[in-house]
Amino acid sequence: MRHWTSRGAIAWLLWPVSLGFAVAVWFRRIFYRLRIFGSTHPGIPVIVVGNLTAGGSGKTPLVLRIAELLKEHHWKPGIASRGYGGSAQGPVAATIASDPAAVGDEPILLARRSGCPVWVAPDRVVACRALREQNPECDIIITDDGLQHYALRRDIEVCVVDGRGFGNGFLQPAGPLREPRSRLRSVDAVVTHQGAPDAQGYKMVLEGDKLVRFTDAREVRSAKSFAGQRVHAVAGVGDPKRFFLQLARFGIKLVPHPFPDHHAFRAEDFAFGDSDPVVMTEKDAVKCKRIVAGNPQAQFWVFPVSASLDPAFERWLLEKLGGSKAA
């Protein structure tokens, strides 16, 4: 209770700063809408997948499912990302061989799982331009994050809301919000998952029941086969608790190790002093290749998840885009 009271007091102390932030956000959006600030459209349809809160909320699995859906209907999608946590000022292509320190962790995961060209730059307009120049076959762009990046004009906005909801309802820095909750009224679709409170939208479920050996992707085990076993669960994502709960439902005896989102892992982070298996998210795994290679005796496993979407959302999206494209 004391901890909650302390956090609440800090939030109220920061509320005047958040109010100023809210005013700046409002004016910025109005200036883009009135074309006082310049914006650019890349010339092919753009789907922006974003959220209102700071930190991960399930955007990347949703982007992957949308890319898969579009490919099923003969579109040729490309993906643009900021490359959060990467040092590259862009534009640069993200591939499975890229350095996550340069392009970020999520773009590598997107490139590996989607099979689509992925381009990274802090300026999404620049990323989209490079993507089109280098991949002229692409006929639609999906952006991972970028709801607030108004310099890029978009055709469809999808906002993701997860089980954390909107926190205390304050904008940064007093709360988690990048924009007011009222912004939901202007997006084209809201996708909710993990029991998102007070948000109406299409449902999404993150599903996974297999563990893949880090050093040999051919070795796949049912997550249930680890039931009753002590396992170190490592997560440097926006909501580590979600990852831990997903594993716990298989009866695994978890030792949770939460880290900040986009954490730059070091070998010391895995010095647990025992030989119990280590399970991590796909996003974290792309940053840990050297660590795992330097510890060949340890058991490192990856828990991949995929987004299962409300069929109504998929029908809506295809109708919004004008349906399937001819092969």
Side-chain angles (χ1 to χ4, degrees):
M1 185 68 176
R2 186 180 302 131
H3 178 65
W4 182 91
T5 303
S6 174
R7 291 180 61 181
I10 292 172
W12 280 107
L13 286 173
L14 292 173
W15 180 77
V17 183
S18 292
L19 185 61
F21 181 71
V23 172
V25 165
W26 185 83
F27 273 109
R28 180 173 176 271
R29 188 159 182 242
I30 289 296
F31 286 171
Y32 272 111
R33 180 175 292 180
L34 296 176
R35 304 294 173 89
I36 296 173
F37 290 167
S39 59
T40 302
H41 193 282
I44 56 177
V46 175
I47 302 172
V48 169
V49 178
N51 61 351
L52 298 185
T53 58
S57 61
K59 297 185 297 293
T60 300
L62 178 57
V63 169
L64 287 169
R65 175 55 195 148
I66 289 175
E68 181 182 41
L69 174 69
L70 293 174
K71 290 170 75 173
E72 289 170 359
H73 290 270
H74 310 298
W75 291 82
K76 299 180 178 63
I79 299 173
S81 171
R82 174 188 173 188
Y84 187 89
S87 60
Q89 294 304 301
V92 61
T95 70
I96 58 175
S98 295
D99 181 357
V103 302
D105 45 26
E106 288 163 345
I108 298 175
L109 174 58
L110 287 166
R112 184 174 67 82
R113 286 281 300 269
S114 72
C116 299
V118 179
W119 279 78
V120 170
D123 186 335
R124 253 61 61 117
V125 172
V126 173
C128 290
R129 184 181 300 125
L131 191 157
R132 288 212 67 194
E133 289 174 354
Q134 298 300 318
N135 304 94
E137 74 281 3
C138 287
D139 52 19
I140 190 166
I141 293 173
I142 314 165
T143 71
D144 184 24
D145 208 357
L147 190 62
Q148 292 78 32
H149 197 85
Y150 293 116
L152 175 68
R153 293 209 294 271
R154 66 287 308 262
D155 300 276
I156 297 175
E157 291 184 327
V158 181
C159 184
V160 185
V161 181
D162 68 1
R164 295 170 298 168
F166 309 100
N168 58 11
F170 292 155
L171 269 68
Q172 297 176 326
L177 295 183
R178 299 170 172 178
E179 292 186 283
R181 185 175 165 181
S182 58
R183 176 74 167 86
L184 288 180
R185 294 198 293 266
S186 63
V187 301
D188 296 286
V190 176
V191 172
T192 67
H193 70 112
Q194 295 297 121
D198 304 325
Q200 298 297 317
Y202 297 102
K203 301 299 181 184
M204 176 175 75
V205 178
L206 299 183
E207 299 176 331
D209 60 3
K210 300 288 192 297
L211 294 181
V212 180
R213 173 81 76 165
F214 196 117
T215 53
D216 186 356
R218 294 170 300 180
E219 186 175 351
V220 181
R221 284 180 56 181
S222 165
K224 290 182 179 179
S225 69
F226 287 82
Q229 189 171 353
R230 188 173 181 268
V231 167
H232 293 283
V234 175
V237 294
D239 186 8
K241 182 180 178 182
R242 182 172 66 216
F243 174 65
F244 301 147
L245 289 174
Q246 285 176 312
L247 291 176
R249 65 188 175 92
F250 296 111
I252 302 172
K253 294 182 179 179
L254 293 184
V255 181
H257 301 276
F259 290 89
D261 197 14
H262 301 285
H263 178 68
F265 285 97
R266 302 174 299 172
E268 305 89 88
D269 295 327
F270 299 91
F272 302 133
D274 56 48
S275 58
D276 292 331
V278 177
V279 180
M280 63 183 72
T281 70
E282 281 187 290
K283 190 174 85 166
D284 293 325
V286 301
K287 296 177 288 189
C288 297
K289 290 182 180 179
R290 293 178 183 175
I291 295 172
V292 174
N295 195 0
Q297 303 304 317
Q299 294 188 62
F300 286 90
W301 296 83
V302 180
F303 181 61
V305 297
S306 298
S308 176
L309 282 169
D310 182 345
F313 171 83
E314 299 186 351
R315 290 194 298 269
W316 168 84
L317 181 62
L318 292 171
E319 289 172 4
K320 190 85 171 174
L321 291 170
S324 300
K325 298 198 73 174

